Amino acid sequence: MLVTKSVAELCALLIDELHGELPSRIFAILLSKGRSTLPQLAQYTSMTPRQLRHGLAVLQQHNLLFYHVDSGAEFAAYEANADHAYNLARTGKILEMIDSSFGAPAKDVMQSLLLSGQTRISDLVAAYQVKIEHANKAAAAIGDDHDFGAETNGVNGDLHPAKKAGALVKSTAHLNSIICRLVEAELIDVVHTKTFESHQDVLKTVEKEVMDKHFPAGIKGNKAKIELQERIAEGLRKVRGESKSLKRKLEQNGTAAKRRKLFAGIGMANGVHEEDMDPALDPRQVIRVNYEKCLVDLRNRRLVHFATDMLGDTTAYVYGVLLKLLTRDLPRCRPDAVMDAGEEAKEESEKGPGPVTTEQILDSLKTSVDLSLGIGKAERRLVSSTAAEKIELYPPKKKVLIEEAEVDGEASADEEESDNNNNSSEESDYESDYKAPATNGTNGVNGTNGAKVKFDESAAPKERRLDRPTQLRQHLLILSESTQRFVRHCGPNEWTVDFTPLMNSLRETELDSVIERTAGRQGLRLVRILRAKGKLDEKALPNVALMRKPELQQKMMEMQTAGFVHVQEVPRDLKADVKKSFFLWFCDVDRSLDRLLDTSYQTMVHCIQVLEALRQKERDVLETTKRSDVRGREKDTMRKEYYERYSRFLECERKLFAQVMRVDDLVSVLRDF
Amino acid sequence: MSGRGGRGGRGRGGPMANGRRAVAQNSVPWAMDSDIVLDGKPSELFPPYNLPKAPLLSKKEDKQVSYFLLFREQCQDSALYTQARSWTQASGGTARTYGQDQVNRRYGQVTKATVDPFTAVPTYSHRFKTVPRTLPDLGSRPFAKEFFPPELHATLEGEDEPPAAAAAAAAKRRRVGPKTLGLSNITSYKTAEELFLPEVAQQKGVGGDANLDKALQLLNSMEKRNEDGDEEAFLSGEDDDDWVKGNGDDDEDAAADEDDQYEDESGDDYNAEAYFDGNQDDEDGDEGGDEGGDFF
């Protein structure tokens, strides 16, 4: 896998920070030299094979490697897994996400799993057993008079978490149930024999298998080629599906949600019942963290944040619930090009997330949330309900002529069901031009009348206080009407999200904010003009932008160096005279985004390097704090100025890592979501 | 190449230069654009720079950073963490390196040159110092071995020893009982806020317990070490893992004043006599490799 220099540096630094120097050195070499075997590595690094073996073992344990052993070969070929290495920077986010959506005990388990890499379930259980026993013993030894203390701990959380952590996971049954929950959410998956093969290796093996099995005579003709592609995709999906075996097994027993529904009222209050109902996991299974699914959840959070910025809290909350329902079975943010190719052709529903109905959202909303907030009130006649309630059956970017006609046909049929008053010509007009009813007065009224029938069916007769489903519907309509297209109204009372265009608009928003920060509002304005007009001649730009020429040129130069706008020289004749040629300004969003991504990596690298420099500067202090008699009691044992220096260092460290995480927000939007 | 071309052009001079000047006269910015105002002042040496300041951490971000730092702390506490950087800016190392050799020399070297004369004299407090690990302690925890390439299996068992030390270490290494995956008992990372506001901690009624708890933890760790049977190691402050011991033996005859902390080679890399031997072993590994067990 190829990565840029800054990514390679970043990965090495992150591994150095978390797993130590030896694996980091090996990882850096693996990234720069590519796939290598042990003797090759020894040659590249001039480290001893023993060191290398230890380092490789650590990397492998933390899922940072791919390896492949050819049959008959003596040495395995190792390859760096740069994605997972980069994901180390996201650890804090993932843990926080788990903490807020699954609770502190689950976070504890997840942390242990991240800490120890891939782990056999029995080992994990044993480790927790030791810990639990230890905690119990400590609790018993401390006795009753400390019960009070323990209680206050519970309240103030972080200050005294030693005991709290002991009590986090109460029993092995509890642990079991936590693992089950996480497996069901796909945040944990099973390690199988193919997990550590790189994508190319898996592809090659599957290809070979398919060729041997189905095409022993070779491929002839287009039809066979397509079939080959399909079979390969199928094989790859099968390999990929293996990691979900544990989830499938759990599903056979019925998921937690189902059971909760079945036993509602019996064991709802105390979780103990639920724990008992979870099936015991096979202790021989080896589990690890599934970053792909973690990213899906992180994307949901990012989108909710985006919606909060654009629309408001309550609407964003509704959106969060919708996303959670929608992405429950979505395994990754971006579909794999090879693997999902066949899938797309086979069943449409598998490709995009399926629709979610209003009732489903209503069921999973918390009753404490007041939905009446965040909805504006407008006069009935000012709102064009037909336009607002417009149903789009297909994602926007699909522009195939025949299909479009089909959309029209179906939509009008739909419309026919809901209101029979309108004649079909008017409808097709409204369908073809979205804006028409809103601008045209009579038409708008007409539309309102038409939809009123439907609206009144669901809404309460009282106009002032809308009931909960209607309010929810309003929120969803706001989401689908927004310029960012948060939600698509894909059927009567059905909603879905088209992630690709939505993420593109989010990316553009991020780019705009970066431009605004670096080049000011004028710069952003110029970029927007260029985006609207396409390529603009240098001489025409001042007129369009209504700016003075020198100022404009300076601004454009500034933005060109930052990589937000680009210039193209078009000679008028063969001589390519500079004076006579055109200079066209344009802005290429993709190129700017790539540039931005690279700058982000460099920023992250820089942050960690600064931290290292700080460490060198405060070396004497840090060495003291590492001593076993000082650690944890820095305040009491250290001299005042030393202590102050230490706390200043800690603060800087926090800020630097926070910066890394913020930049990672940007990177994940640009690259992963 | 370009330099030469430039000189040639100037040398030729004559009509060529004239022609160029004609172009140049018209195409300089102030000729093309009459509105441009030029100021001949030199630019300021240190112009005021508007440094953007990051906004304060939100509550969520704060939590994320805390979790990350806690995780890092636990990672660095684990048996697989290695850190033996001998390179520091203060000790005269340069940031630039030429070749892998020099890069490698930054790590795990203890020589007379790298020792700080002010702190190197043994003192009582040295026993509290944690010795940085140069190789991960793989033998102490269980692994799911089927997911590792076969060449690493011996290493995972902790049986990857240099041949000289292997025999000596073998007896000691055998741990009794099953290996357990140790969960980190570090559960808090001191935040700057906590450090700055110790009174708050006191108010909340746990400040008094902190010391007690720390002592308890220390006691616990002592007990644990007792069980493991290397009490002496703990008390005497030198964490003599098996490999360190092996290293010591090697060093006696090596009589090297350069003591590589990577025990297996223990400076043999730089020992001219052993140089060829070591190298040969390497080559063996390259070609045959079936005797993988006995090289190093």
Side-chain angles (χ1 to χ4, degrees):
Chain A
M1 182 176 160
L2 294 169
V3 292
T4 56
K5 177 171 168 268
S6 31
V7 182
E9 254 175 77
L10 179 66
C11 290
L13 282 171
L14 281 170
I15 294 178
D16 182 59
E17 188 68 33
L18 290 176
H19 299 308
E21 139 243 299
L22 185 63
S24 157
R25 285 162 71 188
I26 296 173
F27 196 81
I29 288 288
L30 273 177
L31 275 179
S32 66
K33 302 280 183 189
R35 193 183 176 113
S36 1
T37 60
L38 197 65
Q40 279 172 327
L41 276 176
Q43 197 188 1
Y44 297 143
T45 59
S46 36
M47 286 197 256
T48 63
R50 177 157 178 254
Q51 269 170 280
L52 286 172
R53 278 195 296 265
H54 278 87
L56 286 171
V58 174
L59 283 173
Q60 174 63 23
Q61 176 64 22
H62 289 293
N63 298 320
L64 297 169
L65 286 184
F66 294 120
Y67 72 85
H68 182 75
V69 191
D70 283 325
S71 55
E74 277 170 63
F75 293 102
Y78 299 93
E79 229 172 313
N81 186 348
D83 279 338
H84 278 194
Y86 179 80
N87 280 334
L88 289 177
R90 295 192 176 123
T91 314
K93 275 180 207 162
I94 292 172
L95 288 175
E96 195 261 341
M97 176 193 83
I98 303 255
D99 191 28
S100 62
S101 50
F102 290 90
K107 181 221 148 199
D108 192 58
V109 174
M110 196 69 162
Q111 191 161 359
S112 310
L113 203 58
L114 279 169
L115 193 64
S116 51
Q118 30 153 328
T119 316
R120 209 178 285 282
I121 290 181
S122 60
D123 290 338
L124 195 67
V125 171
Y128 265 100
Q129 207 145 24
V130 170
K131 198 173 172 183
I132 292 162
E133 271 169 24
H134 212 268
N136 287 345
K137 227 186 277 173
I142 291 169
D144 299 320
D145 47 352
H146 270 273
D147 268 10
F148 175 69
E151 253 168 65
T152 45
N153 291 337
V155 176
N156 59 37
D158 279 299
L159 282 171
H160 212 75
K163 276 178 258 165
K164 201 178 127 221
L168 269 180
V169 177
K170 286 174 210 94
S171 57
T172 44
H174 189 199
L175 175 68
N176 193 40
S177 111
I178 290 170
I179 296 178
C180 286
R181 285 300 82 68
L182 290 174
V183 168
E184 269 165 21
E186 289 184 36
L187 295 171
I188 289 179
D189 64 2
V190 181
V191 179
H192 54 94
T193 43
K194 293 268 170 56
T195 309
F196 297 109
E197 305 250 321
S198 66
H199 304 304
Q200 288 92 329
D201 285 333
V202 175
L203 183 64
K204 220 181 276 171
T205 346
V206 170
E207 230 168 32
K208 195 158 173 268
E209 257 170 44
V210 170
M211 286 300 283
D212 289 350
K213 215 181 203 175
H214 302 283
F215 305 95
I219 311 157
K220 278 175 202 126
N222 277 338
K223 207 175 168 188
K225 258 183 208 165
I226 293 169
E227 199 192 336
L228 173 74
Q229 282 303 324
E230 272 170 19
R231 285 201 193 277
I232 287 174
E234 200 182 324
L236 288 175
R237 276 200 298 279
K238 217 169 98 192
V239 170
R240 193 170 66 179
E242 259 177 64
S243 64
K244 302 284 173 288
S245 60
L246 199 57
K247 191 195 174 194
R248 277 199 297 275
K249 212 178 283 172
L250 283 177
E251 268 167 359
Q252 279 170 4
N253 288 320
T255 55
K258 258 186 223 159
R259 259 173 286 129
R260 214 169 286 143
K261 264 181 208 160
L262 282 175
F263 291 93
I266 305 172
M268 255 335 258
N270 42 357
V272 186
H273 282 255
E274 247 182 74
E275 282 166 27
D276 292 341
M277 281 181 270
D278 277 318
L281 296 167
D282 182 1
R284 281 166 308 164
Q285 294 273 26
V286 178
I287 51 176
R288 67 165 185 173
V289 176
N290 181 9
Y291 281 114
E292 279 179 338
K293 184 66 180 181
C294 287
L295 276 178
V296 173
D297 283 7
L298 285 176
R299 177 174 73 175
N300 287 352
R301 290 164 74 92
R302 183 75 185 82
L303 282 175
V304 170
H305 189 72
F306 188 35
T308 316
D309 284 349
M310 292 291 166
L311 299 171
D313 282 332
T314 321
T315 315
Y317 175 76
V318 171
Y319 192 43
V321 174
L322 167 68
L323 281 175
K324 203 172 169 191
L325 290 170
L326 207 58
T327 56
R328 192 182 281 153
D329 292 321
L330 194 71
R332 60 190 57 73
C333 289
R334 292 183 176 183
D336 196 298
V338 187
M339 269 191 243
D340 295 313
E343 215 163 327
E344 189 178 345
K346 236 180 358 198
E347 31 193 336
E348 192 79 23
S349 63
E350 275 291 300
K351 187 194 61 174
V356 174
T357 62
T358 319
E359 284 79 43
Q360 279 175 317
I361 303 173
L362 197 64
D363 283 344
S364 36
L365 275 181
K366 270 187 203 152
T367 42
S368 58
V369 176
D370 185 5
L371 286 178
S372 63
L373 298 172
I375 307 176
K377 291 222 165 58
E379 295 256 347
R380 177 57 60 88
R381 66 188 167 76
L382 292 178
V383 180
S384 156
S385 299
T386 24
E389 310 243 342
K390 185 187 168 199
I391 291 170
E392 299 166 79
L393 280 176
Y394 294 95
K397 289 243 168 144
K398 242 183 176 176
K399 286 207 172 148
V400 187
L401 279 169
I402 306 160
E403 225 168 3
E404 212 157 31
E406 211 176 299
V407 174
D408 258 351
E410 258 183 62
S412 61
D414 238 2
E415 208 69 7
E416 211 83 60
E417 280 170 30
S418 61
D419 45 14
N420 299 316
N421 310 352
N422 287 353
N423 55 23
S424 59
S425 70
E426 204 179 32
E427 265 165 30
S428 64
D429 179 30
Y430 139 69
E431 278 292 329
S432 63
D433 190 358
Y434 178 75
K435 282 272 160 36
T439 46
N440 187 335
T442 49
N443 229 351
V445 174
N446 228 348
T448 323
N449 283 343
K452 205 171 183 180
V453 184
K454 190 182 167 194
F455 194 70
D456 281 352
E457 275 172 3
S458 60
K462 296 179 284 178
E463 283 225 0
R464 284 295 107 195
R465 277 192 55 80
L466 302 167
D467 61 347
R468 218 170 144 76
T470 319
Q471 284 170 348
L472 173 64
R473 218 178 132 69
Q474 296 289 321
H475 279 293
L476 290 169
L477 287 176
I478 291 176
L479 283 168
S480 67
E481 258 192 350
S482 63
T483 46
Q484 287 83 16
R485 296 273 156 180
F486 284 114
V487 164
R488 182 160 54 87
H489 194 176
C490 62
N493 275 336
E494 283 183 354
W495 313 87
T496 189
V497 179
D498 301 317
F499 283 108
T500 327
L502 178 59
M503 289 322 292
N504 280 337
S505 80
L506 178 54
R507 245 163 254 152
E508 213 156 288
T509 319
E510 289 280 0
L511 181 65
D512 282 356
S513 69
V514 171
I515 293 175
E516 198 180 351
R517 289 305 286 262
T518 43
R521 303 194 62 175
Q522 280 191 335
L524 183 58
R525 187 169 154 267
L526 287 171
V527 169
R528 288 207 171 131
I529 289 171
L530 284 179
R531 258 184 227 157
K533 300 272 179 194
K535 291 187 178 176
L536 260 187
D537 186 27
E538 196 180 25
K539 292 184 183 93
L541 190 56
N543 297 333
V544 179
L546 305 177
M547 282 172 77
R548 286 189 58 226
K549 207 177 170 191
E551 280 170 32
L552 182 103
Q553 272 175 343
Q554 202 187 348
K555 198 44 103 186
M556 291 310 273
M557 285 307 291
E558 191 186 318
M559 287 203 290
Q560 199 203 358
T561 19
F564 300 134
V565 292
H566 315 276
V567 74
Q568 184 186 3
E569 184 182 344
V570 183
R572 207 184 287 230
D573 48 17
L574 268 180
K575 274 170 73 187
D577 192 357
V578 184
K579 260 179 80 182
K580 279 186 190 159
S581 47
F582 298 103
F583 286 91
L584 301 176
W585 288 107
F586 66 102
C587 80
D588 182 345
V589 177
D590 289 337
R591 233 202 273 179
S592 322
L593 286 176
D594 282 347
R595 176 89 183 260
L596 187 58
L597 188 61
D598 196 53
T599 326
S600 316
Y601 290 134
Q602 279 168 21
T603 316
M604 290 167 94
V605 169
H606 186 68
C607 281
I608 303 181
Q609 281 169 345
V610 166
L611 180 66
E612 190 56 44
L614 271 181
R615 274 196 198 126
Q616 291 290 342
K617 207 173 129 204
E618 306 285 342
R619 197 155 33 104
D620 47 343
V621 179
L622 292 179
E623 251 165 41
T624 324
T625 55
K626 280 211 185 96
R627 269 167 47 172
S628 58
D629 58 333
V630 176
R631 204 167 184 176
R633 290 182 298 163
E634 288 90 351
K635 177 84 182 152
D636 309 327
T637 44
M638 280 163 77
R639 264 190 303 165
K640 192 155 173 274
E641 65 254 47
Y642 260 51
Y643 183 71
E644 270 165 12
R645 275 169 69 189
Y646 179 56
S647 49
R648 223 174 304 139
F649 169 78
L650 285 186
E651 216 178 354
C652 287
E653 191 182 51
R654 279 184 83 77
K655 277 184 186 159
L656 283 168
F657 276 122
Q659 185 63 23
V660 169
M661 278 171 201
R662 277 177 181 166
V663 177
D664 167 62
D665 273 338
L666 184 61
V667 171
S668 41
V669 168
L670 294 182
R671 191 187 72 170
D672 295 319
F673 290 168
Chain B
M1 189 63 198
S2 67
R4 207 188 283 170
R7 237 192 302 141
R10 220 177 297 147
R12 251 174 256 145
M16 182 79 169
N18 278 338
R20 260 194 206 163
R21 199 176 303 141
V23 170
Q25 263 170 0
N26 293 328
S27 62
V28 287
W30 54 87
M32 286 169 71
D33 179 5
S34 51
D35 316 345
I36 272 190
V37 186
L38 289 173
D39 56 338
K41 276 186 286 179
S43 60
E44 217 175 325
L45 203 56
F46 298 108
Y49 186 66
N50 184 18
L51 198 70
K53 207 169 180 187
L56 288 177
L57 295 187
S58 69
K59 216 169 175 184
K60 197 171 124 195
E61 283 172 324
D62 197 60
K63 222 170 162 189
Q64 289 173 351
V65 176
S66 305
Y67 284 159
F68 179 77
L69 289 174
L70 173 59
F71 176 68
R72 190 198 61 176
E73 211 67 1
Q74 292 189 347
C75 271
Q76 302 198 345
D77 187 54
S78 82
L80 302 189
Y81 182 74
T82 49
Q83 195 68 275
R85 197 166 301 165
S86 52
W87 167 74
T88 59
Q89 231 139 29
S91 68
T94 46
R96 201 168 294 231
T97 48
Y98 303 93
Q100 196 62 40
D101 241 16
Q102 257 173 330
V103 174
N104 284 347
R105 229 172 287 160
R106 291 172 161 200
Y107 301 97
Q109 300 266 326
V110 178
T111 61
K112 276 178 187 165
T114 60
V115 161
D116 182 2
F118 295 101
T119 55
V121 180
T123 58
Y124 179 80
S125 64
H126 274 195
R127 70 181 52 194
F128 297 116
K129 260 199 183 146
T130 45
V131 182
R133 206 181 273 113
T134 52
L135 280 184
D137 185 12
L138 294 171
S140 63
R141 52 165 289 174
F143 288 95
K145 256 200 257 170
E146 65 267 35
F147 298 118
F148 286 85
E151 66 204 36
L152 296 181
H153 285 185
T155 317
L156 291 179
E157 283 288 339
E159 282 165 4
D160 191 5
E161 302 286 342
K172 198 184 164 202
R173 200 181 345 97
R174 294 274 160 253
R175 288 172 201 259
V176 269
K179 296 172 183 175
T180 52
L181 184 69
L183 290 180
S184 174
N185 47 10
I186 293 181
T187 44
S188 71
Y189 181 78
K190 280 211 159 230
T191 64
E193 202 178 332
E194 238 173 89
L195 293 168
F196 284 132
L197 305 168
E199 308 85 42
V200 181
Q202 297 266 336
Q203 269 173 16
K204 285 181 181 166
V206 280
D209 285 354
N211 284 340
L212 183 70
D213 197 62
K214 194 71 207 171
L216 266 173
Q217 263 186 21
L218 209 66
L219 258 170
N220 282 338
S221 63
M222 287 268 278
E223 272 170 34
K224 217 167 71 189
R225 292 207 182 222
N226 272 338
E227 284 161 18
D228 284 355
D230 42 17
E231 169 192 16
E232 276 163 69
F234 179 62
L235 289 182
S236 66
E238 38 187 340
D239 189 13
D240 68 345
D241 267 334
D242 12 24
W243 54 268
V244 173
K245 202 141 212 176
N247 185 21
D249 295 343
D250 273 351
D251 274 347
E252 278 170 43
D253 50 346
D257 42 354
E258 191 182 55
D259 171 15
D260 195 330
Q261 274 198 11
Y262 287 123
E263 77 304 333
D264 46 350
E265 297 264 303
S266 63
D268 282 357
D269 258 348
Y270 309 102
N271 184 354
E273 283 171 40
Y275 184 78
F276 292 106
D277 274 335
N279 218 18
Q280 195 151 18
D281 273 352
D282 263 344
E283 275 167 18
D284 279 349
D286 279 348
E287 293 157 14
D290 44 343
E291 0 165 312
D294 61 20
F295 70 100
F296 300 119

